[in-house]
Amino acid sequence: MKRRVKLLLIAVIIPGTIILFVRYAMTHADVVHKLRSLSPGMFAALLVFYGLWFLSISVALAVSLKIYGKRISGQENVLLNAYSSLVNFFGPGQSGPAFRAVYLKKRHGFAIKHYVFTTLLYYGFYAVGSAFLLCVGSRPWWQTAALVIAVGLVSAYVIRRYGRRGGEHDENKTAISPILLGYLALAVGMQMIAQVGMYYVELRHVSPGVTFPQILTYTGAANFALFVSLTPGAIGIREAFLVFSQNLHHIGNSAIVAANIIDRAMYLVVLGLMFIGVLAMHAQKRLHITGGRPEV
């Protein structure tokens, strides 16, 4: 009976996911059109930057686990990030991180409070890096430095407060080493480079006159949408952030919309590749997932 239920779930999940992909493409004809307008070189460059982005989040996960003496194989890391990326896009809200938290707790005994703490560390580096990008291309150096310091202090306060409230402060203090923090910062730096590269290709395609400093500011503004992302892939949220920050990056609405259409289309292609990889590597079986949830 259990085997029949698993087969039934697979028979529903796989076609259902394919239908979601096809339906999205059919209802967003502009996405397909913009994607077709990319040259093979631009398409390949975007895939390379997405590969770097995926590598960066995999490194960040490995470092987060190592802070508490946990470890997973490279293959499991890749499968988990690919599967949770699919869950995050098609599930409600930011369901990908929640799925990773539950999986790591059930399969590796990684406590939820430890996951939250390491996620806050990651978000802290992400916020500082995004603040730097937001200002470095458009504001004087002293304003950039002031914003980066302010964001860093706020992030440190939030992380420290959570550690104390959860009774984790002493444990976290002994678990974290400068080397691991350096690796986490490096992972976030890789992610920022990948994002700048993606936006560079997309914006230069739709608006060749856009400068590199403008793209840096654009990337910083787009990154801050992560912190209030309530929709799959931050659809609508990121665009709003970019429109509201126009006085910093000075990129027009038409270029923002066109570039984001390309970005959504490419992300859909990447998710499709992830889906194929998840199927080919039998991710549900390897990750012990039943009904969309990890087994104990």
Side-chain angles (χ1 to χ4, degrees):
M1 179 64 68
K2 187 175 181 180
R3 180 177 177 82
R4 289 179 180 177
V5 172
K6 286 184 177 180
L7 291 174
L8 178 61
L9 287 171
I10 292 173
V12 171
I13 291 172
I14 293 177
T17 306
I18 294 175
I19 290 172
L20 284 173
F21 275 117
V22 174
R23 183 179 179 184
Y24 186 90
M26 290 179 64
T27 56
H28 295 75
D30 50 351
V31 169
V32 178
H33 175 72
K34 285 291 183 183
L35 189 59
R36 286 177 177 174
S37 70
L38 287 175
S39 68
M42 290 180 176
F43 188 83
L46 286 173
L47 285 180
V48 169
F49 285 125
Y50 266 108
L52 181 62
W53 166 80
F54 189 82
L55 175 63
S56 70
I57 63 174
S58 299
V59 172
L61 177 59
V63 173
S64 298
L65 289 168
K66 198 168 184 180
I67 287 176
Y68 286 98
K70 303 291 184 180
R71 186 172 299 180
I72 61 176
S73 68
Q75 184 182 69
E76 185 180 6
N77 190 330
V78 169
L79 285 175
L80 177 58
N81 276 302
Y83 196 92
S84 60
S85 294
L86 289 166
V87 170
N88 196 55
F89 187 82
F90 291 111
Q94 289 292 296
S95 48
F99 173 84
R100 279 197 298 271
V102 173
Y103 174 87
L104 292 171
K105 177 177 174 58
K106 289 189 175 184
R107 299 299 305 169
H108 296 280
F110 191 57
I112 297 294
K113 60 183 179 180
H114 293 170
Y115 178 85
V116 172
F117 184 81
T118 55
T119 300
L120 287 175
L121 284 176
Y122 165 80
Y123 281 157
F125 283 116
Y126 192 90
V128 169
S130 298
F132 174 77
L133 291 175
L134 182 65
C135 287
V136 70
S138 60
R139 311 306 300 171
W141 70 267
W142 61 270
Q143 291 183 10
T144 301
L147 181 62
V148 168
I149 292 172
V151 172
L153 290 175
V154 171
S155 299
Y157 172 78
V158 172
I159 294 168
R160 189 179 182 87
R161 184 175 177 83
Y162 176 82
R164 285 181 171 177
R165 187 180 65 179
E168 290 286 296
H169 181 66
D170 293 336
E171 184 179 350
N172 289 332
K173 189 175 180 180
T174 57
I176 300 174
S177 70
I179 294 178
L180 289 177
L181 286 178
Y183 280 131
L184 188 57
L186 178 63
V188 174
M190 289 169 52
Q191 185 174 357
M192 297 287 169
I193 291 172
Q195 290 166 330
V196 170
M198 293 175 203
Y199 295 142
Y200 180 87
V201 173
E202 294 162 1
L203 285 169
R204 295 284 290 183
H205 177 64
V206 299
S207 182
V210 172
T211 64
F212 188 68
Q214 284 181 290
I215 293 170
L216 292 178
T217 302
Y218 178 98
T219 304
N223 285 353
F224 273 110
L226 170 72
F227 299 102
V228 290
S229 182
L230 304 175
T231 58
I235 294 175
I237 306 297
R238 186 204 298 165
E239 287 79 359
F241 269 66
L242 290 169
V243 170
F244 290 142
S245 61
Q246 274 185 314
N247 62 326
L248 292 175
H249 57 68
H250 303 292
I251 296 175
N253 287 341
S254 58
I256 291 174
V257 172
N260 275 273
I261 287 174
I262 293 175
D263 190 74
R264 303 301 182 193
M266 275 304 304
Y267 190 54
L268 196 65
V269 170
V270 171
L271 286 177
L273 294 174
M274 287 183 184
F275 179 64
I276 293 172
V278 162
L279 289 182
M281 299 178 70
H282 305 286
Q284 284 195 321
K285 181 178 180 181
R286 291 178 183 271
L287 297 178
H288 304 278
I289 297 170
T290 301
R293 297 181 179 180
E295 298 174 351
V296 180

